[in-house]
Amino acid sequence: MKRKTLYRIFAILVTASFLFAACTKENADVRLDPKLATTQLLNVTSNAATVVGFVVADGDGFTEKGVCYNTAAAPTIANNKVAYTGQATTATFNVTLTGLAYATKYYARAYATGANGTIYGEEYNFTTLPVVPTLTTAAITAITGNSASGGGNVTVAGGAEVTVRGIVFGIKPTPTVADSKTSDGKGTGAFVSALTSLKGNTTYYVRSYATNSAGTGYGPEVTFKTLVDLPVVTTAAVKDVTKVSATSGGEVTYDGGGTVTARGLAWGTSANPTITDSKIDGGAGLGAFVSNLTSLTIFTTYHVRAYATNSAGTAYGSNITFTTLANIRTWNIPGDYVAASYPGSALANWSPDKSPQVISTITSPDKLEGYVYMANGTNEWKFASQPNWDGPNYGDGGAGKLDANGGNIKSTAGYYKINADAAAMTYTAVATVWGVIGSATPGGWGDETALSYNPNSRTWTGSVHLTAAEFKFRANHDWGFNYGSSTKDAKLNAGGDNIPVTVESDYAFTLDLSRPNAYIYSANRWGVIGDATPGGWDTDTNMTWDATKKVLTVTLNLKSPGSFKFRANDGWDINYGGNLGALSAGGDNIAVTAAGNYTITFDPWALKATVTKN
């Protein structure tokens, strides 16, 4: 106890002794002259506390002094007491009460006994602290290679609420809540705990635990050993896919606590293949392995899974699919026409790897097709079966026959549809001129409205006024050359369905036959939109085709300040803005700096525009 505190207590008691309660006598003959105070309570724990007494005046002298206590108020020496055994002449005395019950409220006061009886100081009360819970640990059951079941029973709460309980476990003895643990409710009573994510063939140490405000208590430790678990294996990505082969494999990252006696790749044409299907042995043990799949079927979808086997069984990695390449042929068309016909490209004369191509399809692997433009008055060319001259290379064998020893094939200027049959060893090369035909076009179904070929973009372009009806693409006034769209999108197929038109307008057409067997088109009506235009940002002002200038045009009043953009088909999927000399998809709004009447032109193929104030 600090000296300053003692001095203060002493001064208060001496100068204001009238504040103390009158001493109580156990018999009527005790005089009231002696004075005693209970001054302080110290060091309360779960089973002990220290009480400080102070003798203010000892009258005729005391034969015993100490502290009495009880769980009821006004304790006397007839209840529980601890006598002070220190120096008899000291005024202040400390007495420690021991053997107290935890989490219990006690009443205590100093006492002193003399010739005239026993007197008492003021009464203090205190509550002992709680203790950690008491609990048992259940036996471990349902043991597998990676899990088990355990639990415990909180038999004594310890005088405070049990806020969490469960089991702690680890591979070292005496695990604590700092190790792996479960959380299985609160309060007293039995509970069940699930141990998961365990390692196979491993000894674990387990204790139940419960936590209250006093801390965490643990039950007795139990041990158990997991069974051998299944291995863990991953499937490698499939690569180097050809028509008849591919490469995969896997990696065994965990042996399950046992010995991996076999590993490899299971494969087949059904999902989740197993080792009862086709498999490729990849050795044994941990680590990565490579599996080469061979003798596969052309253009077939396969499934692969890595596997690993130990005494617990066989585990598999994820199921990965791949498709072998189709038996598609690609032939090149080298010749003296290439440089002149494909300006601005990397293509070159008589270089098979820098030439246009004809390609077969999955369903007809021997029949090759493609469109090739030849700009010279007279052009010479051949078929090269490889992107080099290593052959075989085919020339004119006469009467439409291909001959590995044949001379150059000669053609006049034109946009040729070239077909080759690698089985029959025949070919055709037909010059074509394309247009738009149908009930929506000016010529109806009787004749096509011509498009123009643009060597720079390698596309057929032009504008056609369409009504709300249907159209297709046709060449040479011959239904032997026609494309529609059976997929109802931008893709074309030979003899495909008619293409519907829902809005009458001038349409800008692009027909792209430059990629063999992947022919596409676009047919867009155009307008201007923006806060500078009469319709604002809500409604397009439509443009019409100027057949003389070969551009779309519109004359209208524009507001300033304001801006506009070019938009197709009354939607934002296709829109252009930015620099008038080189418009860009989704480009910036085009500013109008002065209000007035303007004529705007737009070339949807060259992506150029003009804005002229009238």
Side-chain angles (χ1 to χ4, degrees):
M1 184 174 196
K2 293 184 179 178
R3 181 176 296 177
K4 184 176 179 182
T5 302
L6 289 173
Y7 287 162
R8 185 175 72 247
I9 293 170
F10 181 75
I12 292 171
L13 292 173
V14 172
T15 59
S17 60
F18 62 91
L19 297 175
F20 293 107
C23 297
T24 303
K25 292 190 275 185
E26 289 196 332
N27 61 68
D29 296 327
V30 176
R31 295 183 326 194
L32 298 178
D33 292 337
K35 297 288 191 288
L36 179 67
T38 307
T39 62
Q40 199 171 4
L41 184 66
L42 301 173
N43 303 327
V44 178
T45 67
S46 61
N47 61 1
T50 299
V51 181
V52 180
F54 186 83
V55 178
V56 179
D58 61 2
D60 293 334
F62 295 121
T63 58
E64 180 180 296
K65 56 187 176 184
V67 174
C68 60
Y69 64 96
N70 197 14
T71 56
T76 70
I77 58 175
N79 302 123
N80 303 289
K81 70 174 183 175
V82 178
Y84 174 67
T85 59
Q87 186 177 355
T89 58
T90 182
T92 302
F93 59 93
N94 293 1
V95 173
T96 299
L97 313 179
T98 60
L100 305 180
Y102 64 83
T104 301
K105 186 174 183 178
Y106 285 91
Y107 299 84
R109 54 182 179 172
Y111 75 89
T113 302
N116 295 321
T118 300
I119 62 175
Y120 297 92
E122 296 87 344
E123 179 182 276
Y124 275 66
N125 67 74
F126 63 92
T127 301
T128 52
L129 302 180
V131 295
V132 298
T134 301
L135 62 164
T136 61
T137 304
I140 304 301
T141 61
I143 300 170
T144 72
N146 53 40
S147 65
S149 180
N153 187 10
V154 181
T155 56
V156 178
E161 180 188 6
V162 174
T163 56
V164 62
R165 64 189 187 183
I167 59 172
V168 293
F169 58 98
I171 59 175
K172 294 181 179 180
T174 319
T176 70
V177 290
D179 299 304
S180 298
K181 65 181 179 180
T182 67
S183 179
D184 303 300
K186 58 184 179 179
T188 58
F191 58 89
V192 176
S193 305
L195 295 88
T196 59
S197 301
L198 305 180
K199 293 293 185 181
N201 197 25
T202 301
T203 297
Y204 282 89
Y205 299 84
V206 179
R207 293 197 296 171
S208 59
Y209 78 92
T211 301
N212 64 11
S213 60
T216 299
Y218 296 93
E221 182 174 88
V222 299
T223 63
F224 73 99
K225 189 174 184 179
T226 52
L227 307 178
V228 174
D229 196 11
L230 288 171
V232 174
V233 59
T234 60
T235 307
V238 180
K239 60 182 182 178
D240 302 327
V241 179
T242 71
K243 297 177 182 179
V244 294
S245 64
T247 301
S248 181
E251 181 178 7
V252 182
T253 58
Y254 171 56
D255 60 13
T259 300
V260 174
T261 56
R263 66 185 188 185
L265 191 74
W267 60 278
T269 55
S270 299
N272 300 316
T274 70
I275 55 176
T276 60
D277 300 306
S278 298
K279 66 177 181 177
I280 301 172
D281 179 32
L286 294 168
F289 57 92
V290 176
S291 304
N292 295 311
L293 296 99
T294 59
S295 302
L296 304 180
T297 303
I298 292 172
F299 195 57
T300 301
T301 297
Y302 287 93
H303 300 258
V304 295
R305 288 200 300 173
Y307 71 87
T309 302
N310 65 9
S311 60
T314 300
Y316 295 91
S318 58
N319 182 84
I320 295 179
T321 62
F322 71 97
T323 302
T324 51
L325 301 182
N327 191 19
I328 296 176
R329 298 175 185 267
T330 299
W331 285 2
N332 302 283
I333 312 296
D336 63 2
Y337 69 94
V338 177
S341 305
Y342 294 87
S345 72
L347 302 184
N349 287 345
W350 292 114
S351 298
D353 61 328
K354 298 178 182 178
S355 301
Q357 298 174 328
V358 290
I359 301 176
S360 67
T361 63
I362 295 171
T363 55
S364 300
D366 292 325
K367 297 184 183 300
L368 301 94
E369 176 181 299
Y371 285 86
V372 178
Y373 178 55
M374 299 183 184
N376 298 326
T378 301
N379 307 274
E380 297 189 7
W381 52 281
K382 277 191 166 185
F383 292 94
S385 62
Q386 298 187 63
N388 50 52
W389 288 110
D390 294 343
N393 308 301
Y394 303 107
D396 188 4
K401 295 288 186 179
L402 292 173
D403 189 339
N405 298 311
N408 296 340
I409 302 171
K410 298 180 180 181
S411 300
T412 58
Y415 187 83
Y416 283 86
K417 182 177 187 291
I418 297 178
N419 293 84
D421 189 326
M425 296 303 293
T426 59
Y427 80 96
T428 59
V430 180
T432 60
V433 178
W434 288 89
V436 183
I437 191 171
S439 55
T441 69
W445 290 109
D447 199 5
E448 57 261 25
T449 301
L451 300 174
S452 300
Y453 182 70
N454 184 336
N456 293 308
S457 64
R458 306 183 197 180
T459 59
W460 292 84
T461 61
S463 180
V464 180
H465 184 84
L466 299 180
T467 59
E470 298 176 322
F471 72 90
K472 297 184 81 171
F473 295 95
R474 192 177 76 165
N476 301 356
H477 315 293
D478 183 349
W479 284 108
F481 303 94
N482 82 90
Y483 292 105
S485 181
S486 298
T487 53
K488 309 300 181 186
D489 55 16
K491 298 176 182 178
L492 295 171
N493 57 295
D497 294 344
N498 298 341
I499 301 168
V501 178
T502 57
V503 178
E504 181 175 359
S505 185
D506 289 345
Y507 284 79
F509 276 88
T510 300
L511 173 61
D512 187 351
L513 306 176
S514 64
R515 290 179 291 274
N517 300 312
Y519 310 132
I520 58 174
Y521 82 98
S522 65
N524 298 318
R525 47 191 173 82
W526 287 92
V528 292
I529 190 170
D531 54 11
T533 70
W537 287 109
D538 297 320
T539 305
D540 294 76
T541 301
N542 295 331
M543 306 185 78
T544 58
W545 178 247
D546 185 328
T548 301
K549 296 181 179 180
K550 305 297 183 185
V551 292
L552 291 159
T553 183
V554 63
T555 298
L556 74 170
N557 293 324
L558 295 179
K559 303 172 186 177
S560 179
S563 59
F564 70 93
K565 299 186 81 172
F566 296 97
R567 190 170 78 157
N569 309 320
D570 298 326
W572 287 108
D573 292 346
I574 307 173
N575 73 90
Y576 287 89
N579 186 343
L580 293 175
L583 295 167
S584 59
D588 294 339
N589 298 342
I590 301 165
V592 177
T593 57
N597 184 259
Y598 286 83
T599 296
I600 301 174
T601 69
F602 174 51
D603 185 333
W605 304 289
L607 296 177
K608 296 180 180 180
T610 64
V611 180
T612 304
K613 190 174 183 181
N614 298 319

PDB file of all heavy atoms in Angstrom, residues 143-147 171 198-204 224-230 254-259 310-312:
ATOM      1  N   ILE A 143     -13.122 -41.850 -39.002  1.00  0.00           N
ATOM      2  CA  ILE A 143     -11.824 -41.425 -39.531  1.00  0.00           C
ATOM      3  C   ILE A 143     -11.697 -41.855 -40.986  1.00  0.00           C
ATOM      4  O   ILE A 143     -11.936 -43.006 -41.339  1.00  0.00           O
ATOM      5  CB  ILE A 143     -10.690 -42.031 -38.691  1.00  0.00           C
ATOM      6  CG1 ILE A 143     -10.803 -41.571 -37.235  1.00  0.00           C
ATOM      7  CG2 ILE A 143      -9.337 -41.640 -39.267  1.00  0.00           C
ATOM      8  CD1 ILE A 143      -9.868 -42.308 -36.300  1.00  0.00           C
ATOM      9  N   THR A 144     -11.317 -40.903 -41.852  1.00  0.00           N
ATOM     10  CA  THR A 144     -11.023 -41.180 -43.266  1.00  0.00           C
ATOM     11  C   THR A 144      -9.612 -40.675 -43.555  1.00  0.00           C
ATOM     12  O   THR A 144      -8.845 -40.366 -42.648  1.00  0.00           O
ATOM     13  CB  THR A 144     -12.027 -40.495 -44.201  1.00  0.00           C
ATOM     14  OG1 THR A 144     -11.788 -39.073 -44.198  1.00  0.00           O
ATOM     15  CG2 THR A 144     -13.459 -40.760 -43.775  1.00  0.00           C
ATOM     16  N   GLY A 145      -9.308 -40.563 -44.837  1.00  0.00           N
ATOM     17  CA  GLY A 145      -7.998 -40.050 -45.213  1.00  0.00           C
ATOM     18  C   GLY A 145      -7.867 -38.557 -45.062  1.00  0.00           C
ATOM     19  O   GLY A 145      -6.743 -38.036 -45.031  1.00  0.00           O
ATOM     20  N   ASN A 146      -8.987 -37.839 -44.969  1.00  0.00           N
ATOM     21  CA  ASN A 146      -8.897 -36.384 -44.867  1.00  0.00           C
ATOM     22  C   ASN A 146      -9.895 -35.776 -43.894  1.00  0.00           C
ATOM     23  O   ASN A 146     -10.044 -34.555 -43.845  1.00  0.00           O
ATOM     24  CB  ASN A 146      -9.076 -35.740 -46.247  1.00  0.00           C
ATOM     25  CG  ASN A 146     -10.347 -36.201 -46.938  1.00  0.00           C
ATOM     26  OD1 ASN A 146     -11.391 -36.352 -46.304  1.00  0.00           O
ATOM     27  ND2 ASN A 146     -10.264 -36.437 -48.240  1.00  0.00           N
ATOM     28  N   SER A 147     -10.593 -36.611 -43.113  1.00  0.00           N
ATOM     29  CA  SER A 147     -11.586 -36.069 -42.201  1.00  0.00           C
ATOM     30  C   SER A 147     -11.799 -37.012 -41.026  1.00  0.00           C
ATOM     31  O   SER A 147     -11.373 -38.169 -41.039  1.00  0.00           O
ATOM     32  CB  SER A 147     -12.917 -35.820 -42.922  1.00  0.00           C
ATOM     33  OG  SER A 147     -13.482 -37.053 -43.355  1.00  0.00           O
ATOM     34  N   ILE A 171      -0.626 -31.483 -35.681  1.00  0.00           N
ATOM     35  CA  ILE A 171       0.258 -32.651 -35.772  1.00  0.00           C
ATOM     36  C   ILE A 171       1.299 -32.652 -34.666  1.00  0.00           C
ATOM     37  O   ILE A 171       2.175 -33.513 -34.636  1.00  0.00           O
ATOM     38  CB  ILE A 171       0.936 -32.711 -37.153  1.00  0.00           C
ATOM     39  CG1 ILE A 171       1.755 -31.444 -37.411  1.00  0.00           C
ATOM     40  CG2 ILE A 171      -0.106 -32.898 -38.250  1.00  0.00           C
ATOM     41  CD1 ILE A 171       2.557 -31.499 -38.708  1.00  0.00           C
ATOM     42  N   LEU A 198      -7.733 -32.707 -43.593  1.00  0.00           N
ATOM     43  CA  LEU A 198      -6.623 -33.382 -42.940  1.00  0.00           C
ATOM     44  C   LEU A 198      -5.704 -34.033 -43.969  1.00  0.00           C
ATOM     45  O   LEU A 198      -6.084 -34.258 -45.117  1.00  0.00           O
ATOM     46  CB  LEU A 198      -7.165 -34.451 -41.985  1.00  0.00           C
ATOM     47  CG  LEU A 198      -8.179 -33.975 -40.925  1.00  0.00           C
ATOM     48  CD1 LEU A 198      -8.617 -35.150 -40.068  1.00  0.00           C
ATOM     49  CD2 LEU A 198      -7.590 -32.865 -40.074  1.00  0.00           C
ATOM     50  N   LYS A 199      -4.488 -34.324 -43.547  1.00  0.00           N
ATOM     51  CA  LYS A 199      -3.536 -35.023 -44.388  1.00  0.00           C
ATOM     52  C   LYS A 199      -3.645 -36.520 -44.130  1.00  0.00           C
ATOM     53  O   LYS A 199      -3.856 -36.970 -42.991  1.00  0.00           O
ATOM     54  CB  LYS A 199      -2.107 -34.560 -44.093  1.00  0.00           C
ATOM     55  CG  LYS A 199      -1.836 -33.117 -44.481  1.00  0.00           C
ATOM     56  CD  LYS A 199      -1.879 -32.926 -45.990  1.00  0.00           C
ATOM     57  CE  LYS A 199      -1.495 -31.511 -46.389  1.00  0.00           C
ATOM     58  NZ  LYS A 199      -1.556 -31.317 -47.853  1.00  0.00           N
ATOM     59  N   GLY A 200      -3.496 -37.301 -45.191  1.00  0.00           N
ATOM     60  CA  GLY A 200      -3.620 -38.741 -45.060  1.00  0.00           C
ATOM     61  C   GLY A 200      -2.442 -39.371 -44.328  1.00  0.00           C
ATOM     62  O   GLY A 200      -1.316 -38.856 -44.357  1.00  0.00           O
ATOM     63  N   ASN A 201      -2.726 -40.493 -43.634  1.00  0.00           N
ATOM     64  CA  ASN A 201      -1.698 -41.285 -42.965  1.00  0.00           C
ATOM     65  C   ASN A 201      -0.879 -40.434 -41.991  1.00  0.00           C
ATOM     66  O   ASN A 201       0.340 -40.517 -41.921  1.00  0.00           O
ATOM     67  CB  ASN A 201      -0.783 -41.930 -44.002  1.00  0.00           C
ATOM     68  CG  ASN A 201       0.036 -43.065 -43.417  1.00  0.00           C
ATOM     69  OD1 ASN A 201      -0.352 -43.688 -42.434  1.00  0.00           O
ATOM     70  ND2 ASN A 201       1.185 -43.315 -44.019  1.00  0.00           N
ATOM     71  N   THR A 202      -1.573 -39.592 -41.209  1.00  0.00           N
ATOM     72  CA  THR A 202      -0.911 -38.633 -40.327  1.00  0.00           C
ATOM     73  C   THR A 202      -1.526 -38.704 -38.938  1.00  0.00           C
ATOM     74  O   THR A 202      -2.747 -38.803 -38.786  1.00  0.00           O
ATOM     75  CB  THR A 202      -1.048 -37.206 -40.886  1.00  0.00           C
ATOM     76  OG1 THR A 202      -0.462 -37.164 -42.184  1.00  0.00           O
ATOM     77  CG2 THR A 202      -0.371 -36.185 -39.994  1.00  0.00           C
ATOM     78  N   THR A 203      -0.681 -38.628 -37.894  1.00  0.00           N
ATOM     79  CA  THR A 203      -1.154 -38.623 -36.512  1.00  0.00           C
ATOM     80  C   THR A 203      -1.523 -37.201 -36.102  1.00  0.00           C
ATOM     81  O   THR A 203      -0.738 -36.265 -36.305  1.00  0.00           O
ATOM     82  CB  THR A 203      -0.081 -39.167 -35.563  1.00  0.00           C
ATOM     83  OG1 THR A 203       0.177 -40.540 -35.903  1.00  0.00           O
ATOM     84  CG2 THR A 203      -0.538 -39.089 -34.113  1.00  0.00           C
ATOM     85  N   TYR A 204      -2.723 -37.056 -35.526  1.00  0.00           N
ATOM     86  CA  TYR A 204      -3.204 -35.759 -35.078  1.00  0.00           C
ATOM     87  C   TYR A 204      -3.454 -35.790 -33.568  1.00  0.00           C
ATOM     88  O   TYR A 204      -3.828 -36.827 -33.011  1.00  0.00           O
ATOM     89  CB  TYR A 204      -4.503 -35.381 -35.798  1.00  0.00           C
ATOM     90  CG  TYR A 204      -4.281 -34.875 -37.198  1.00  0.00           C
ATOM     91  CD1 TYR A 204      -4.248 -35.757 -38.277  1.00  0.00           C
ATOM     92  CD2 TYR A 204      -4.100 -33.521 -37.446  1.00  0.00           C
ATOM     93  CE1 TYR A 204      -4.035 -35.295 -39.560  1.00  0.00           C
ATOM     94  CE2 TYR A 204      -3.879 -33.049 -38.734  1.00  0.00           C
ATOM     95  CZ  TYR A 204      -3.842 -33.937 -39.786  1.00  0.00           C
ATOM     96  OH  TYR A 204      -3.632 -33.477 -41.055  1.00  0.00           O
ATOM     97  N   PHE A 224      -5.291 -39.577 -32.862  1.00  0.00           N
ATOM     98  CA  PHE A 224      -5.772 -40.533 -33.854  1.00  0.00           C
ATOM     99  C   PHE A 224      -4.912 -40.397 -35.102  1.00  0.00           C
ATOM    100  O   PHE A 224      -4.172 -39.418 -35.258  1.00  0.00           O
ATOM    101  CB  PHE A 224      -7.250 -40.284 -34.205  1.00  0.00           C
ATOM    102  CG  PHE A 224      -7.493 -39.059 -35.043  1.00  0.00           C
ATOM    103  CD1 PHE A 224      -7.661 -39.156 -36.419  1.00  0.00           C
ATOM    104  CD2 PHE A 224      -7.529 -37.801 -34.460  1.00  0.00           C
ATOM    105  CE1 PHE A 224      -7.888 -38.027 -37.198  1.00  0.00           C
ATOM    106  CE2 PHE A 224      -7.751 -36.665 -35.223  1.00  0.00           C
ATOM    107  CZ  PHE A 224      -7.935 -36.784 -36.594  1.00  0.00           C
ATOM    108  N   LYS A 225      -4.999 -41.348 -35.980  1.00  0.00           N
ATOM    109  CA  LYS A 225      -4.232 -41.347 -37.223  1.00  0.00           C
ATOM    110  C   LYS A 225      -5.175 -41.522 -38.398  1.00  0.00           C
ATOM    111  O   LYS A 225      -6.008 -42.435 -38.415  1.00  0.00           O
ATOM    112  CB  LYS A 225      -3.195 -42.469 -37.221  1.00  0.00           C
ATOM    113  CG  LYS A 225      -2.204 -42.401 -38.384  1.00  0.00           C
ATOM    114  CD  LYS A 225      -1.122 -43.458 -38.237  1.00  0.00           C
ATOM    115  CE  LYS A 225      -0.070 -43.333 -39.336  1.00  0.00           C
ATOM    116  NZ  LYS A 225       1.006 -44.345 -39.181  1.00  0.00           N
ATOM    117  N   THR A 226      -5.053 -40.616 -39.393  1.00  0.00           N
ATOM    118  CA  THR A 226      -5.897 -40.694 -40.585  1.00  0.00           C
ATOM    119  C   THR A 226      -5.485 -41.886 -41.453  1.00  0.00           C
ATOM    120  O   THR A 226      -4.353 -42.387 -41.371  1.00  0.00           O
ATOM    121  CB  THR A 226      -5.782 -39.415 -41.419  1.00  0.00           C
ATOM    122  OG1 THR A 226      -4.408 -39.143 -41.669  1.00  0.00           O
ATOM    123  CG2 THR A 226      -6.395 -38.233 -40.686  1.00  0.00           C
ATOM    124  N   LEU A 227      -6.407 -42.301 -42.280  1.00  0.00           N
ATOM    125  CA  LEU A 227      -6.109 -43.340 -43.259  1.00  0.00           C
ATOM    126  C   LEU A 227      -5.321 -42.740 -44.415  1.00  0.00           C
ATOM    127  O   LEU A 227      -5.197 -41.519 -44.544  1.00  0.00           O
ATOM    128  CB  LEU A 227      -7.414 -43.949 -43.781  1.00  0.00           C
ATOM    129  CG  LEU A 227      -8.407 -44.476 -42.733  1.00  0.00           C
ATOM    130  CD1 LEU A 227      -9.665 -44.996 -43.426  1.00  0.00           C
ATOM    131  CD2 LEU A 227      -7.755 -45.556 -41.875  1.00  0.00           C
ATOM    132  N   VAL A 228      -4.789 -43.575 -45.271  1.00  0.00           N
ATOM    133  CA  VAL A 228      -4.175 -43.076 -46.501  1.00  0.00           C
ATOM    134  C   VAL A 228      -5.255 -42.422 -47.342  1.00  0.00           C
ATOM    135  O   VAL A 228      -6.337 -42.975 -47.544  1.00  0.00           O
ATOM    136  CB  VAL A 228      -3.493 -44.216 -47.277  1.00  0.00           C
ATOM    137  CG1 VAL A 228      -2.992 -43.715 -48.631  1.00  0.00           C
ATOM    138  CG2 VAL A 228      -2.335 -44.783 -46.462  1.00  0.00           C
ATOM    139  N   ASP A 229      -4.998 -41.220 -47.837  1.00  0.00           N
ATOM    140  CA  ASP A 229      -5.969 -40.472 -48.625  1.00  0.00           C
ATOM    141  C   ASP A 229      -5.679 -40.642 -50.112  1.00  0.00           C
ATOM    142  O   ASP A 229      -4.581 -41.083 -50.503  1.00  0.00           O
ATOM    143  CB  ASP A 229      -5.894 -38.987 -48.248  1.00  0.00           C
ATOM    144  CG  ASP A 229      -7.106 -38.205 -48.715  1.00  0.00           C
ATOM    145  OD1 ASP A 229      -8.091 -38.834 -49.149  1.00  0.00           O
ATOM    146  OD2 ASP A 229      -7.065 -36.966 -48.660  1.00  0.00           O
ATOM    147  N   LEU A 230      -6.656 -40.260 -50.950  1.00  0.00           N
ATOM    148  CA  LEU A 230      -6.423 -40.266 -52.388  1.00  0.00           C
ATOM    149  C   LEU A 230      -5.377 -39.214 -52.757  1.00  0.00           C
ATOM    150  O   LEU A 230      -5.275 -38.169 -52.106  1.00  0.00           O
ATOM    151  CB  LEU A 230      -7.713 -39.974 -53.147  1.00  0.00           C
ATOM    152  CG  LEU A 230      -8.779 -41.076 -53.160  1.00  0.00           C
ATOM    153  CD1 LEU A 230     -10.064 -40.546 -53.771  1.00  0.00           C
ATOM    154  CD2 LEU A 230      -8.284 -42.288 -53.924  1.00  0.00           C
ATOM    155  N   TYR A 254       0.253 -34.224 -54.447  1.00  0.00           N
ATOM    156  CA  TYR A 254       0.096 -34.761 -53.089  1.00  0.00           C
ATOM    157  C   TYR A 254      -0.136 -36.262 -53.202  1.00  0.00           C
ATOM    158  O   TYR A 254      -0.952 -36.716 -54.005  1.00  0.00           O
ATOM    159  CB  TYR A 254      -1.080 -34.065 -52.402  1.00  0.00           C
ATOM    160  CG  TYR A 254      -1.512 -34.650 -51.088  1.00  0.00           C
ATOM    161  CD1 TYR A 254      -0.621 -34.800 -50.030  1.00  0.00           C
ATOM    162  CD2 TYR A 254      -2.835 -35.030 -50.885  1.00  0.00           C
ATOM    163  CE1 TYR A 254      -1.036 -35.333 -48.815  1.00  0.00           C
ATOM    164  CE2 TYR A 254      -3.263 -35.552 -49.662  1.00  0.00           C
ATOM    165  CZ  TYR A 254      -2.353 -35.701 -48.637  1.00  0.00           C
ATOM    166  OH  TYR A 254      -2.764 -36.217 -47.437  1.00  0.00           O
ATOM    167  N   ASP A 255       0.609 -37.030 -52.386  1.00  0.00           N
ATOM    168  CA  ASP A 255       0.513 -38.486 -52.496  1.00  0.00           C
ATOM    169  C   ASP A 255      -0.521 -39.108 -51.584  1.00  0.00           C
ATOM    170  O   ASP A 255      -0.689 -40.324 -51.551  1.00  0.00           O
ATOM    171  CB  ASP A 255       1.874 -39.127 -52.241  1.00  0.00           C
ATOM    172  CG  ASP A 255       2.437 -38.802 -50.854  1.00  0.00           C
ATOM    173  OD1 ASP A 255       1.679 -38.287 -50.004  1.00  0.00           O
ATOM    174  OD2 ASP A 255       3.639 -39.047 -50.638  1.00  0.00           O
ATOM    175  N   GLY A 256      -1.232 -38.287 -50.775  1.00  0.00           N
ATOM    176  CA  GLY A 256      -2.266 -38.796 -49.887  1.00  0.00           C
ATOM    177  C   GLY A 256      -1.733 -39.511 -48.666  1.00  0.00           C
ATOM    178  O   GLY A 256      -2.496 -40.159 -47.952  1.00  0.00           O
ATOM    179  N   GLY A 257      -0.417 -39.394 -48.436  1.00  0.00           N
ATOM    180  CA  GLY A 257       0.169 -40.110 -47.317  1.00  0.00           C
ATOM    181  C   GLY A 257       0.560 -41.530 -47.650  1.00  0.00           C
ATOM    182  O   GLY A 257       0.988 -42.290 -46.775  1.00  0.00           O
ATOM    183  N   GLY A 258       0.426 -41.893 -48.900  1.00  0.00           N
ATOM    184  CA  GLY A 258       0.810 -43.228 -49.349  1.00  0.00           C
ATOM    185  C   GLY A 258       1.779 -43.136 -50.513  1.00  0.00           C
ATOM    186  O   GLY A 258       2.305 -42.068 -50.831  1.00  0.00           O
ATOM    187  N   THR A 259       2.011 -44.216 -51.183  1.00  0.00           N
ATOM    188  CA  THR A 259       2.918 -44.264 -52.324  1.00  0.00           C
ATOM    189  C   THR A 259       2.105 -44.264 -53.621  1.00  0.00           C
ATOM    190  O   THR A 259       1.218 -45.103 -53.800  1.00  0.00           O
ATOM    191  CB  THR A 259       3.804 -45.521 -52.274  1.00  0.00           C
ATOM    192  OG1 THR A 259       4.563 -45.496 -51.069  1.00  0.00           O
ATOM    193  CG2 THR A 259       4.743 -45.552 -53.467  1.00  0.00           C
ATOM    194  N   ASN A 310      -2.879 -44.688 -55.534  1.00  0.00           N
ATOM    195  CA  ASN A 310      -2.156 -45.219 -54.382  1.00  0.00           C
ATOM    196  C   ASN A 310      -3.031 -46.278 -53.709  1.00  0.00           C
ATOM    197  O   ASN A 310      -4.033 -46.708 -54.293  1.00  0.00           O
ATOM    198  CB  ASN A 310      -1.733 -44.096 -53.408  1.00  0.00           C
ATOM    199  CG  ASN A 310      -2.919 -43.407 -52.759  1.00  0.00           C
ATOM    200  OD1 ASN A 310      -4.068 -43.826 -52.881  1.00  0.00           O
ATOM    201  ND2 ASN A 310      -2.645 -42.316 -52.063  1.00  0.00           N
ATOM    202  N   SER A 311      -2.690 -46.676 -52.494  1.00  0.00           N
ATOM    203  CA  SER A 311      -3.435 -47.754 -51.854  1.00  0.00           C
ATOM    204  C   SER A 311      -4.875 -47.373 -51.543  1.00  0.00           C
ATOM    205  O   SER A 311      -5.727 -48.248 -51.333  1.00  0.00           O
ATOM    206  CB  SER A 311      -2.737 -48.182 -50.562  1.00  0.00           C
ATOM    207  OG  SER A 311      -2.655 -47.085 -49.652  1.00  0.00           O
ATOM    208  N   ALA A 312      -5.185 -46.071 -51.510  1.00  0.00           N
ATOM    209  CA  ALA A 312      -6.558 -45.628 -51.242  1.00  0.00           C
ATOM    210  C   ALA A 312      -7.426 -45.664 -52.492  1.00  0.00           C
ATOM    211  O   ALA A 312      -8.657 -45.623 -52.397  1.00  0.00           O
ATOM    212  CB  ALA A 312      -6.559 -44.217 -50.661  1.00  0.00           C
TER     213      ALA A 312
END
